[in-house]
Structures are given as C-alpha cells and as structure tokens.
Amino acid sequence: MNLYTLNVIQPDKMSLWKYIKESEKIGNLFIFSSIWQWLKFPIFALFLICLFCSIFIFVFGTIEEISSDSPKWDKVIFAPMTPFIIIFPLSVILIYYKSFITPKKLERKITRFIEDNLSFAENIKKRTLANYNIRYKGFDLLLDYTISNNKRLF
Amino acid sequence: MVCTLYYDVEKEDYSVINKDGYLTEDFIYKWLDYTKGKSSCCNLNIAPHSIIAVFPLKKANDVKRSIDELIYLPTKFHLIPCSFDIENKTV
C-alpha cells in the first residue's frame, strides 16, 4: 500500500485537456475559485462527453432505422437526448458534491483532528486545505492528509 | 494523517544514509532495536531524510507520545533536524 499526499490544485489557468489528465491522478483535489471556473472545467468536459454520446446514438440509431422495414424516427430523435436527461444532471450533482462539499467536509475532519490531537503544538500554519506546518519544541514538522492507492478520495 | 520530520546527516557521514542514498543496514538494525515493542514508536517509519508518523484521521491515539518520540529520535540517532520557513520549505 502506497500513501499519497493530497495535492490541492486550483485549476484556474489550466487547459481543459490538462484538467482531464490531472483529474485522473490519485490524490489531486481541485478547488475552484468560482462557480464559473467549475462550469468551465468539469461541467464543460461532461457536456462534451454527453454531446459525443448523443451524436454516437444519433448516428447509429439513424443507420439502424434506415435499414429497418418500419423506421421509428421518434426514437432517433429522442434517444440521443438520454445522456442529457439522465447522465448529465446526475453527474452535475456528483461533481458538485465532489468539488464543493467534500473539500469542506475534509477540512472539518482535519481541523477536528488538529484540535483534538495537536493542541500542544506551539505554532500551526495552514499551507493548503490538507497540508500544515507545525512547530513543536523548536522542531518543524509537516502534517499532511494522505490517501492510499487502494482507496480513492471520493 | 502523516506527520513528517525531515532530517539531514553530517557531511561525509555514511553511517545512516549510504552513498547510494539508502539507509544503511547497521542503522536499520539500530532503529529496529530501539523501536521494537515500544507503543510510542508503532506509528513511526523511517526513510532516508525523513521520519514519518502515520495516524488515522479518526480515532487517533497517543498522538502526543508519538510526536514526542518523533522529535527525540534525531537526538538519539545523531541526526540533524531540518527547519522550515513557516511559508516555504527550506530543506
């Protein structure tokens, strides 16, 4: 089992492609500076995926209906909407939870850990949501939240 | 949660970290000898240039004892603890 420290990343200046690549790595946590940034990255990426699925369904649906004896064109029109009706809203809810609620919950848990167990420290400096510098009896320690490779953060 | 103390060794001293950057066998035996059976050391791990204490986020026990042990170990093994700028790592 490997432990990975959590990388807190602000994806404001990233390209969409880099965002998709970085989101695959274990231990990356994206903190969006605004709702606009959130719409720009995960939601836009999701929109593109749904659009691709819709086009795929439309093209293959059309081919199949053309070759059939009694084509049902209403199916060809409505079936491509499925990704936007089912997948898109569900994914938006999940991504919102991951982007805004999970970091807050995590921060609360870490704060509680520090309050309960490290009250003796002389100086605690927060570097990021999941990384702290601690000074105790003149020694400098780093406190980091970690995840293991067999357990994704979300 | 992981609490890390970074250490260095004297220049030209290869009794802890060898020329290849690995911990020496002698040092590992000394470490195991000292930490064996100690409850305050059960959370501690040693690596080249760092001593690491691992605690569960929930129900962490004896954090203070482990951290006290963590900061005692550099003295015990003649290691040089590294300091950090509170803003930037200066190891």
Side-chain angles (χ1 to χ4, degrees):
Chain A
M1 185 182 79
N2 296 326
L3 290 177
Y4 296 85
T5 53
L6 199 66
N7 294 321
V8 179
I9 298 170
Q10 261 206 341
D12 290 15
K13 287 175 186 168
M14 270 185 192
S15 66
L16 184 64
W17 179 241
K18 191 161 187 231
Y19 168 79
I20 292 167
K21 267 171 75 181
E22 288 294 322
S23 60
E24 273 304 301
K25 291 180 187 166
I26 300 172
N28 281 352
L29 176 66
F30 295 100
I31 300 290
F32 297 94
S33 58
S34 63
I35 289 280
W36 163 242
Q37 290 298 332
W38 181 67
L39 290 172
K40 197 172 131 191
F41 287 109
I43 302 304
F44 185 58
L46 179 66
F47 177 80
L48 288 180
I49 292 165
C50 287
L51 191 67
F52 179 76
C53 290
S54 292
I55 292 168
F56 185 82
I57 293 168
F58 179 75
V59 170
F60 281 89
T62 309
I63 292 167
E64 200 184 299
E65 291 305 319
I66 285 170
S67 59
S68 75
D69 296 334
S70 54
K72 290 173 184 161
W73 295 108
D74 56 333
K75 234 167 89 182
V76 176
I77 293 163
F78 291 111
M81 292 180 190
T82 320
F84 283 99
I85 294 167
I86 298 168
I87 300 169
F88 192 77
L90 282 176
S91 305
V92 166
I93 293 166
L94 282 175
I95 294 170
Y96 181 84
Y97 187 84
K98 178 188 161 179
S99 305
F100 294 104
I101 296 173
T102 309
K104 277 185 188 163
K105 280 172 109 176
L106 182 65
E107 192 172 16
R108 263 205 307 275
K109 275 185 197 169
I110 295 172
T111 310
R112 201 175 305 136
F113 174 88
I114 290 170
E115 283 170 3
D116 292 350
N117 299 297
L118 293 165
S119 51
F120 53 84
E122 290 147 18
N123 192 354
I124 298 174
K125 178 87 182 173
K126 186 178 179 180
R127 282 184 289 134
T128 71
L129 183 146
N131 309 94
Y132 290 79
N133 282 11
I134 294 171
R135 184 159 288 161
Y136 176 52
K137 290 185 180 174
F139 288 85
D140 289 331
L141 309 167
L142 298 185
L143 186 73
D144 301 292
Y145 177 77
T146 53
I147 52 169
S148 61
N149 58 348
N150 56 5
K151 185 188 163 208
R152 299 294 292 252
L153 182 58
F154 310 107
Chain B
M1 296 296 287
V2 165
C3 191
T4 313
L5 172 75
Y6 284 92
Y7 67 83
D8 216 337
V9 289
E10 296 284 351
K11 215 175 174 184
E12 305 290 322
D13 177 11
Y14 298 110
S15 62
V16 177
I17 299 170
N18 64 23
K19 284 180 181 174
D20 299 327
Y22 296 107
L23 293 172
T24 60
E25 212 168 294
D26 270 2
F27 177 72
I28 293 171
Y29 282 125
K30 275 186 205 167
W31 169 270
L32 292 174
D33 229 28
Y34 178 75
T35 56
K36 197 178 170 185
K38 280 194 173 168
S39 60
S40 58
C41 296
C42 68
N43 297 323
L44 303 182
N45 297 286
I46 184 90
H49 298 289
S50 61
I51 307 171
I52 302 153
V54 184
F55 306 107
L57 189 57
K58 286 176 187 171
K59 295 175 187 170
N61 288 323
D62 291 335
V63 174
K64 189 174 186 304
R65 275 183 68 205
S66 293
I67 301 245
D68 279 332
E69 194 69 59
L70 180 73
I71 61 172
Y72 168 69
L73 288 166
T75 318
K76 163 83 185 162
F77 292 107
H78 309 292
L79 309 171
I80 306 161
C82 295
S83 289
F84 294 93
D85 188 322
I86 207 77
E87 291 296 334
N88 302 305
K89 195 170 139 180
T90 55
V91 176

